[in-house]
Amino acid sequence: MPGAPAQPDMTTQPRPVYVIGAGPGGLAVAAALRARGVRAVVIEKSDGVATSWRGHYDRLHLHTTRRLSGLPGLRIPRRFGRWVSRDDVVRYLEKYAEYHELEIITGVEVTRIDRATEEGGAPGWTLHATGGRELAAAAVVVATGFNHTPALPDWPGRDTYTGRLLHASDYRRAAPFAGLDVLVVGAGNTGAEIAVDLTEGGAGGRAAQAVRLSVRTAPHIVRRSTAGWPAQRTGILVRRLPVRLVDRLGALVAKASVPDLSAHGLPRPATGLYSRVREGAIPVQDVGLIDAVRARTVVPVPAVESFDGAAVVLADGSRITPDAVIAATGYRRALEGLVGHLGVLDGRGRPLARGGRSPVSAPGLYFTGFTNPISGMLRELALDAEKIAKALPRHLASGH
């Protein structure tokens, strides 16, 4: 294939490095390792690459720029535009796997990873997979994804709610909700964009003719781009600055670029923007939320406390009866069954190390894609891939 990397010599590597997950993180690591002559085999439980991206809602576009979202060894085509659509992200990842001639096994799920020692004392790993398979690995990269398992709060009365309740992972487009009273729960980027999509697609309550957005903690809202300057570049620049300084700068920028929506039920957050980021809360990039809230086609309401038959009980004690509730309540990493017994996760189920660093107790085990940085997920996956590809051969050469 013209322009493709030269085929590396992998004949001296009887045990491959296994990469778990054929999303952007796993593909990027496999390509970066292959470029350094390390045989990397990607294991994917579904029937193809980019499964999580295929399942996102139709209107989704990257909130990061095309230029800063490419993976190692292949740029995203310019024809995909500045803000790449979901379908074009999938096309890019399919092409990426083909271009780099990646070795991918689909339809196999790895359920547990254990330490193993090969004959002769060489350390390694055993992967337990569906069908009773046991795979011997020289090293393992876990790239199962930030958005792995939908998280639905255990609200009291949830199981007997008589309206329609679905997680945002099951939402695709507004058409099935046209004319219906819809409550979106969760004011992160997904909830905000789904709420806007619904109101633009004709959803709205019987009385208010609006989509309601349940907000537990008011989010920071930033413009995706200001005078051509993307918010992502600001996120990259401020990552190494003191938190308090970034909080102050963020407050000044917000006052200058984002209107005060307090009168519409969405006050400015009391906690600084970067302080919230350090706690795991990413700012909402505006793709129509500000205008929709000001026009009252999206109406913020208090957090959901419980369900009672056809009613949803909110934190202020009020009761509403939407036809449908869409829970944009996030995801779990769901790593406990896979590696929880190895002592490599923190109290919140997140890997203790990432990128080119293995956990101290588990050399040769690497993780990528389990943070949600303001500098851009795909950009960080690309950087992690290069770090892993640099560190992992050294680990293999050391023999421990």
Side-chain angles (χ1 to χ4, degrees):
M1 180 183 300
Q7 180 85 2
D9 180 10
M10 300 178 180
T11 57
T12 60
Q13 299 172 28
R15 291 184 302 159
V17 173
Y18 279 105
V19 180
I20 306 174
L27 298 179
V29 169
L33 286 171
R34 182 179 174 81
R36 287 166 174 79
V38 177
R39 184 186 177 202
V41 179
V42 181
I43 304 292
E44 169 57 44
K45 68 178 181 180
S46 69
D47 60 359
V49 305
T51 297
S52 64
W53 274 96
R54 296 176 198 276
H56 288 314
Y57 47 94
D58 291 355
R59 75 172 279 152
L60 179 65
H61 285 67
L62 290 180
H63 290 171
T64 55
T65 66
R66 171 181 51 80
R67 287 177 176 271
L68 296 175
S69 300
L71 301 178
L74 185 66
R75 293 181 179 180
I76 299 176
R78 178 178 290 184
R79 69 178 182 275
F80 288 173
R82 193 182 197 197
W83 312 105
V84 184
S85 72
R86 179 205 62 185
D87 289 348
D88 282 338
V89 170
V90 172
R91 292 186 184 99
Y92 169 69
L93 294 176
E94 289 174 337
K95 181 64 177 179
Y96 190 85
E98 176 188 349
Y99 179 82
H100 288 292
E101 299 180 334
L102 300 183
E103 191 174 349
I104 302 173
I105 299 173
T106 60
V108 174
E109 181 178 7
V110 177
T111 56
R112 181 181 171 97
I113 301 172
D114 284 318
R115 294 183 180 87
T117 301
E118 294 292 303
E119 188 175 337
W125 299 91
T126 298
L127 279 61
H128 303 273
T130 50
R133 298 174 178 86
E134 290 190 356
L135 308 174
V140 181
V141 182
V142 180
T144 49
F146 189 82
N147 295 337
H148 186 274
T149 301
L152 194 63
D154 189 19
W155 290 298
R158 184 191 76 184
D159 294 339
T160 55
Y161 174 57
T162 58
R164 183 182 178 190
L165 172 62
L166 65 154
H167 189 270
S169 59
D170 294 317
Y171 176 85
R172 295 294 176 268
R173 60 192 66 86
F177 302 92
L180 299 183
D181 187 342
V182 184
L183 171 68
V184 179
V185 183
N189 275 293
T190 297
E193 189 157 1
I194 287 177
V196 172
D197 192 45
L198 284 165
T199 191
E200 291 178 354
R206 288 176 291 273
Q209 294 299 309
V211 171
R212 284 176 283 210
L213 178 64
S214 175
V215 182
R216 183 171 296 278
T217 304
H220 285 276
I221 302 174
V222 299
R223 300 288 189 181
R224 187 169 65 173
S225 179
T226 303
W229 178 265
Q232 180 189 9
R233 287 198 177 275
T234 301
I236 294 170
L237 292 174
V238 304
R239 290 192 71 189
R240 299 188 183 279
L241 295 178
V243 173
R244 289 184 179 180
L245 175 59
V246 179
D247 282 348
R248 289 197 293 268
L249 292 173
L252 292 173
V253 171
K255 287 182 180 179
S257 62
V258 177
D260 186 356
L261 301 174
S262 299
H264 300 278
L266 204 59
R268 294 190 189 278
T271 308
L273 184 150
Y274 204 39
S275 293
R276 292 281 301 279
V277 169
R278 296 291 289 270
E279 296 170 357
I282 299 299
V284 169
Q285 293 205 22
D286 178 47
V287 289
L289 179 66
I290 292 173
D291 289 343
V293 170
R294 295 176 79 179
R296 299 192 182 275
T297 55
V298 170
V299 176
V301 298
V304 170
E305 288 296 307
S306 62
F307 291 80
D308 183 12
V312 179
V313 182
L314 303 179
D316 63 355
S318 62
R319 300 163 67 92
I320 58 176
T321 55
D323 299 306
V325 176
I326 300 173
T329 46
Y331 296 79
R332 295 185 296 108
R333 313 294 84 80
L335 292 169
E336 289 79 6
L338 189 67
V339 296
H341 57 289
L342 298 173
V344 297
L345 304 177
D346 65 15
R348 297 172 62 183
R350 301 171 302 183
L352 292 170
R354 53 160 284 200
R357 295 185 299 112
S358 289
V360 174
S361 63
L365 181 63
Y366 300 86
F367 295 88
T368 183
F370 296 99
T371 60
N372 192 15
I374 59 173
S375 51
M377 174 70 81
L378 291 177
R379 178 181 182 273
E380 292 304 317
L381 290 175
L383 294 174
D384 271 1
E386 297 289 8
K387 292 173 183 176
I388 292 171
K390 184 176 180 181
L392 198 151
R394 291 199 299 262
H395 163 75
L396 296 179
S398 71
H400 56 75

